[in-house]
Amino acid sequence: MTVRPLIAGNWKMNGLSQDLRTVQEIARAAPGTDASVRTIICPPFTLLREAVAAAADTALEIGAQDCHISRSGAHTGDVSAAMIKDAGASAVIVGHSERRSDHGETDSMVKAKATAALAENLTAIVCVGETAGQRQTGQAEAVVLRQLAGSLPDAATSTTVVIAYEPVWAIGTGLTATPDDVAAMHGALRQALNAQFGDDGGRFALLYGGSVKPDNAAELLRVANVNGALVGGASLKSQDFLAIVDAAC
Ligand code: PGA
């Protein structure tokens, strides 16, 4: 079964108005709507609406990096999926390891956030990944599969949810999992999806994330059951992001 590859950029807490030109550069050069590769950039909330404008009339999609579980209400400083949708975005990352560690997000919170995203017709990019300690003690697969089971919304389908496997120790460190380790984890994730969703399990896009760069993208994207990448640091430069997109084409 072929899955349309997705290259998504996560800007994290980076990006001022001057950086909208990076969105424009990526949007202009990104593959078209009917091209084989889907592209998304997730800037901070402050740039969301302007990033949508910068990517207008191109196939580049804009996403957010988190959403609240509620649609509106007394939650100072939070942003809802409805607001993200209203800003013109089409996707949202939920359960990134930095949210899990900085904000104590649990699987059930991530599931509620992903459910809120689906209610607004946003693609939910659900992140899972083990720590270095968990890998060293042989728990990586169990941890990741438990996160998957606990974080996926009940209504998940391959057209509404994307899964990103990001080993915590590979994020922002320059370290990447070996192709063999990625193949093993993505194989385990695929098996779990097949068991839960039957035929549709084979259609979910499974992204790898953690220090994906232009010089290692091709090798990682060739791995079985890797259908794209979630890119942090390298998504801040249009040339680097576009080189990774090229590697997926
Ligand atoms: P990185 O971040 O590419 O900078 O390692 C990836 C991510 O956290 O999504």
Side-chain angles (χ1 to χ4, degrees), residues 10 12 96-98 166 170-174 209-213 230-234:
N10 172 12
K12 310 192 178 185
H96 189 280
S97 64
E98 287 152 15
E166 299 200 303
I171 295 176
T173 58
S211 298
V212 177
K213 309 284 180 208
L230 182 54
V231 183

